[in-house]
């Protein structure tokens, strides 16, 4: 990837997903990221052993970093840590609540000692409030934030199938760090800047994403139902079985599309003006009847035939893919990363920088760079 952040030093005392996600994106952009790990390593290294004996989570999130062993309670390691921070631009941490403060390296004290430093603290619920000391992991936050209440089927709440709370927090942290770096440059550089403290929590990251159901509930008195593979407030928008047992998803976003769908896909142009279906609120209120009409038409032919008609009518659609389908999806882009267990092919990060080749750094073994980095910062 681009070397836009080359020359920046990021120190990250991190584990699991959220902080490693943020520092990974900085490493992808050319920053030097020194990952401090306990002797046993980031516990995400042991989530599974699916990638040639390595953890899928760890391989995904830790490319391009240097791994250094670190004991927060060791005076010698704390002295080494301060030598690192003396040259660092960014410090990221997502340890248990209060861990850095108890060790004397809380964010305020670090910024006071190292002017121009950007600190980023990632927590479960934030640095203040009655939940500040609670441990938090992704599924717990999916439930606590209300996400699980709008996910799943009418009969049962469900978990989003990836670590969405961790990823959201990592994305917000990355965004805020880049914003701080820009502000620092505009102020005249590190020496002319007072530094910045950034706080990101898993809970508040997902609370932001929950604003639409919150606003619907708080102001509109509408509590979204768990619709399974259907949109709670737009219809028709969801999955429909075809005659061969395969499912196709379709999305109607405006009345022009609705009219085309009725005429060209369902073969029933009169439905577009039927008072039960003429507007989106009416279609949502009469969803069972509408779904019955769609299923009856789609049940007459296989998925490929239904897709041909949707495409001809310029109606947005998607297939209900499984992981085999994902592996062979024609839109995939892949990148290779080096690990001690061999080359690993990853689905590529989404940004494309035109004219630049995607090159990602290797995934470190635990403590792989310990001696070299300690020697450099002796």
């Amino acid at each position: 990837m681009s070397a836009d952040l080359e020359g920046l030093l990021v120190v990250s005392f991190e584990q699991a997903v959220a902080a490693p996600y943020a520092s990974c994106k900085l490493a992808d952009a050319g920053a030097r990221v020194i990952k401090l790990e306990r002797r046993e390593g980031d516990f995400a290294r042991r989530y599974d052993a699916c990638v040639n004996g390595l953890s899928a989570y760890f391989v995904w999130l830790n490319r391009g970093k240097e791994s250094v062993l670190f004991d927060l309670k060791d005076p010698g390691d704390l002295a080494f840590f301060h030598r690192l921070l003396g040259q660092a631009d960014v410090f990221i941490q997502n340890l248990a609540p209060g861990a850095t403060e108890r060790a004397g390296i809380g964010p305020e004290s670090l910024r006071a000692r190292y002017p121009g430093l950007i600190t980023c603290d990632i927590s479960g619920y934030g640095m203040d409030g009655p939940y500040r000391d609670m441990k938090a992991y992704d599924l717990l936050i999916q439930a606590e934030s209300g996400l699980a209440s709008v996910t799943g089927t009418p009969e049962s709440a469900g978990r989003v199938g990836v670590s969405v709370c961790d990823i959201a927090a990592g994305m917000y942290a990355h965004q805020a760090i880049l914003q701080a770096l820009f502000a620092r440059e505009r102020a005249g550089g590190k020496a002319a800047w007072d530094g910045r403290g950034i706080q990101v929590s898993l809970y508040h990251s997902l609370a932001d994403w929950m604003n639409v159901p919150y606003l619907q509930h708080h102001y509109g008195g509408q509590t979204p139902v768990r619709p399974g593979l259907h949109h709670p407030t737009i219809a028709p928008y969801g999955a429909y079985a075809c005659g061969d047992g395969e499912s196709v998803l379709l999305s109607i976003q405006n009345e022009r599309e609705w009219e085309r769908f009725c005429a060209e896909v369902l073969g029933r142009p009169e439905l577009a003006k039927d008072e039960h279906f003429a507007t989106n609120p009416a279609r949502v209120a009469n969803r069972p009847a509408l779904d019955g009409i769609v299923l009856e038409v789609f049940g007459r032919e296989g998925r490929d035939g239904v897709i041909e008609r949707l495409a001809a009518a310029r109606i947005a659609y998607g297939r209900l893919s499984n992981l085999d389908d994902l592996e062979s999806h024609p839109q995939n882009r892949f990148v290779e990363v080096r690990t001690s267990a061999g080359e690993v092919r990853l689905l590529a990060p989404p940004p494309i920088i035109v004219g630049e080749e995607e090159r990602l750094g290797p995934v470190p073994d635990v403590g792989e760079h310990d001696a070299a980095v300690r020697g450099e910062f002796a």
Side-chain angles (χ1 to χ4, degrees):
M1 297 288 283
S2 171
D4 292 332
L5 301 185
E6 187 174 1
L8 293 177
L9 175 60
V10 178
V11 177
S12 190
F13 200 1
E14 59 182 30
Q15 56 196 1
V17 175
Y21 187 100
S23 64
C24 177
K25 297 306 175 187
L26 298 172
D28 284 351
R32 181 184 185 184
V33 176
I34 296 177
K35 179 184 179 78
L36 302 179
E37 298 193 65
R38 297 180 176 91
R39 298 286 166 177
E40 65 273 19
D42 180 342
F43 54 70
R45 288 182 180 272
R46 297 180 297 282
Y47 278 167
D48 61 51
C50 294
V51 186
N52 302 327
L54 303 177
S55 162
Y57 277 91
F58 194 86
V59 168
W60 171 44
L61 293 171
N62 290 281
R63 56 184 179 256
K65 303 178 186 179
E66 299 171 57
S67 173
V68 174
L69 301 178
F70 186 73
D71 183 350
L72 194 59
K73 298 179 180 179
D74 185 300
D77 277 6
L78 283 174
F80 163 68
F81 171 81
H82 283 291
R83 292 194 295 274
L84 283 175
L85 265 287
Q87 298 185 37
D89 299 279
V90 180
F91 174 58
I92 305 170
Q93 70 88 18
N94 69 333
L95 302 184
T100 55
E101 287 84 352
R102 290 191 295 271
I105 55 171
E108 291 185 6
S109 66
L110 291 179
R111 292 196 305 276
R113 183 167 179 173
Y114 304 107
L117 180 68
I118 298 165
T119 63
C120 181
D121 296 273
I122 301 176
S123 62
Y125 290 98
M127 308 298 281
D128 299 300
Y131 283 24
R132 60 158 292 174
D133 294 325
M134 285 179 59
K135 286 187 175 182
Y137 300 106
D138 187 85
L139 180 54
L140 307 182
I141 299 297
Q142 289 198 33
E144 192 77 33
S145 66
L147 176 63
S149 76
V150 297
T151 305
T153 65
E155 296 76 27
S156 177
R159 171 189 179 269
V160 176
V162 296
S163 299
V164 64
C165 305
D166 285 313
I167 295 168
M171 292 175 68
Y172 280 120
H174 177 240
Q175 169 191 314
I177 290 167
L178 292 182
Q179 182 177 327
L181 288 168
F182 177 77
R184 192 177 79 175
E185 285 301 302
R186 192 160 62 176
K190 185 176 180 180
W193 201 56
D194 292 334
R196 177 171 294 180
I198 297 166
Q199 299 174 3
V200 177
S201 80
L202 275 67
Y203 176 81
H204 292 100
S205 297
L206 252 292
D208 182 31
W209 287 17
M210 287 292 291
N211 259 307
V212 167
Y214 157 75
L215 292 169
Q216 291 170 335
H217 177 75
H218 184 75
Y219 291 97
Q222 301 176 17
T223 301
V225 298
R226 291 188 296 271
L229 277 175
H230 285 273
H231 197 285
T233 55
I234 303 174
Y237 188 170
Y240 295 90
C242 302
D244 57 3
E246 298 291 338
S247 291
V248 63
L249 284 85
L250 66 95
S251 174
I252 299 297
Q253 292 288 313
N254 55 61
E255 300 314 315
R256 294 187 307 277
E257 291 180 350
W258 170 239
E259 291 175 5
R260 290 203 309 271
F261 180 69
C262 291
E264 301 177 35
V265 179
L266 299 182
R268 295 187 56 180
E270 75 281 1
L271 283 178
K273 302 303 181 182
D274 187 309
E275 65 178 6
H276 297 93
F277 310 118
T279 66
N280 182 66
R283 292 193 292 273
V284 172
N286 294 285
R287 191 195 299 269
L290 174 60
D291 286 351
I293 294 169
V294 175
L295 289 168
E296 193 274 329
V297 173
F298 282 18
R300 297 173 192 161
E301 59 185 310
R303 183 172 71 172
D304 289 345
V306 171
I307 285 175
E308 287 181 12
R309 292 164 64 184
L310 291 168
R314 304 187 307 282
I315 301 299
Y317 68 88
R319 299 168 179 83
L320 183 55
S321 297
N322 57 32
L323 289 176
D324 287 330
D325 298 324
L326 171 63
E327 285 191 3
S328 60
H329 200 285
Q331 286 298 116
N332 281 344
R333 294 185 296 110
F334 293 97
V335 291
E336 302 283 335
V337 296
R338 182 167 52 84
T339 78
S340 59
E343 293 286 327
V344 173
R345 188 176 73 162
L346 296 173
L347 292 162
I352 295 174
I353 300 177
V354 177
E356 295 194 15
E357 181 183 354
E358 291 173 314
R359 292 190 300 271
L360 304 178
V363 178
D365 286 338
V366 61
E368 179 178 343
H369 305 90
D370 190 70
V373 173
R374 286 178 182 276
E376 180 182 352
F377 291 88

